[in-house]
Amino acid sequence: ALFFGWFWTHGGQTLGMRAWRLKLLAADGTRATWRQSFVRCAAALVSTLALGLGYLWMLVDRDRLTWHDRISATRLVILSRE
């Protein structure tokens, strides 16, 4: 959680997320906070323990958000190649 929290609060991307051009933002488009980062990690664990249903939820969600996106008030955005 500290690893992800550090990168998400300082630029919004881990090294792997940079390679895939993904960035984590708060729901309002600002940088994620430490609280949001820790809540997201905990909620992602719940999403996984529920047999992955929290991840699959994005297939039926109108905003394409997972459970941990909704719970932590964050979202992933795809960055352009530029």
Side-chain angles (χ1 to χ4, degrees):
L2 289 174
F3 171 83
F4 289 110
W6 173 260
F7 283 100
W8 288 341
T9 59
H10 293 85
Q13 297 174 293
T14 63
L15 185 58
M17 291 171 75
R18 286 179 190 218
W20 286 96
R21 297 185 345 258
L22 298 173
K23 187 171 186 175
L24 182 76
L25 297 173
D28 62 3
T30 61
R31 250 195 304 193
T33 65
W34 276 101
R35 177 179 166 78
Q36 287 173 312
S37 297
F38 284 123
V39 169
R40 183 178 174 83
C41 285
L45 181 60
V46 172
S47 293
T48 302
L49 293 176
L51 303 176
L53 290 177
Y55 289 92
L56 294 174
W57 183 255
M58 73 175 293
L59 299 173
V60 297
D61 187 86
R62 73 182 187 297
D63 297 321
R64 312 289 278 166
L65 298 176
T66 61
W67 288 353
H68 43 283
D69 290 329
R70 292 253 178 229
I71 293 168
S72 65
T74 59
R75 61 188 169 97
L76 284 178
V77 294
I78 300 172
L79 302 174
S80 65
R81 291 182 185 240
E82 302 168 352

